[in-house]
Amino acid sequence: MILVTGATGLVGSHLMISLLKENDKVKALYRSEKNMEKVKNVFAFKMQLPLFDKIIWIEGDITDIPSLNTAFENVTTVYHCAALISFDPKDEEKLRKVNIEGTANIVNCCIDFGVKKLCHVSSIAALGDTKEGETNITEDTDWNPEKNHGDYAITKYGAEMEVWRGFQEGLAVVIVNPGVIFGFGFPEQGSSVIFKSLKKGLPFYTKGRTGIIAVEDVVSCMILLMHKNINGQQFTLVAENPTLDAILFTIADGLNVKRPSIYANKTLTSIAWRLDWLLSKLIGKKRSFTRATAKSSHSVDTYDNSKVKSELDYTFKNMTSYFSTLLEAYK
């Protein structure tokens, strides 16, 4: 029996389709029936609606241990996809509770219930920091606690520490660190917000780099890594490392909307994050652009996917072609 946390999110929903197609028995942790409907839409889009009825839904929360006791009954494998994503410093306490404490609960339950293997979905935000003169980030790049990191990155790194603790206590684990994930479903969340912003007329762009990947590739790599005799290993999951302006221009062209036309240099983004902070104080606006995100928008670091490609002999989707398919579905 397989347990999927974060089952009502982008990765979780697409993961369940692949697992159920392999005739695996899947338990899915959910908090709201409303979110279950979004998952059903993904199954319908993938023409796999009959598989949706095979999911064993368990109401629960990774921060609520009693609900996890029910979820973990007869479970042998866990895919931990649940996490809180927020870049608002006001959400620091929530981020710590969900991402660190919640992951600690999952690890403890895995140990207590004799789970054979855990796959933890982390993020490239939790990978290390390059030294001066370096631009390539791998799984072995050291995390520098003295550098400025956002709360999301800190809590995802903290979650990884809980997983490594479980490994030290005898739990078989594998960690994946996906880049920005694109995929069908959940138009109000994650990377899909970029589409919405461009349709509204996003004016600014920067030229920093980031790692991106299709959700189908994330899911495929997770399953392959769990099937192989791999334990205590971490894998960066990115297909490409494009510049941010290239991503925005590609999506804008696909949506037939105006490209962002104002280059936001470091001075402008420095002003922007301070203005965002001021508005949060004056009118209670939720933070969307912080000092950490301003810095990352100009980063030239690239994320190295050679380890997973070598281990799995895997070829990632071409993201330009993938965007074309995704944009047709979005429109």
Side-chain angles (χ1 to χ4, degrees), residues 199-272:
K199 287 196 76 172
K200 285 184 175 180
L202 180 68
F204 301 102
Y205 69 90
T206 60
K207 297 181 180 181
R209 290 188 178 275
T210 192
I212 61 174
I213 188 170
V215 67
E216 290 86 355
D217 281 339
V218 175
V219 166
S220 294
C221 289
M222 288 167 65
I223 294 174
L224 289 169
L225 290 167
M226 289 292 273
H227 285 342
K228 293 194 71 171
N229 186 26
I230 296 173
N231 183 21
Q233 294 290 319
Q234 185 169 14
F235 296 89
T236 302
L237 301 185
V238 297
E240 300 170 10
N241 288 276
T243 57
L244 296 172
D245 58 331
I247 297 172
L248 294 176
F249 295 169
T250 298
I251 296 175
D253 292 346
L255 292 172
N256 294 317
V257 298
K258 184 180 179 182
R259 289 182 173 189
S261 57
I262 303 173
Y263 171 59
N265 58 26
K266 290 183 179 180
T267 300
L268 193 55
T269 54
S270 179
I271 294 171

Side-chain angles (χ1 to χ4, degrees), residues 10 14 38 42 183-189 192 326:
L10 179 63
H14 285 263
K38 297 177 183 178
V42 174
F184 176 82
F186 310 93
E188 303 298 322
Q189 299 171 221
S192 294
L326 194 60

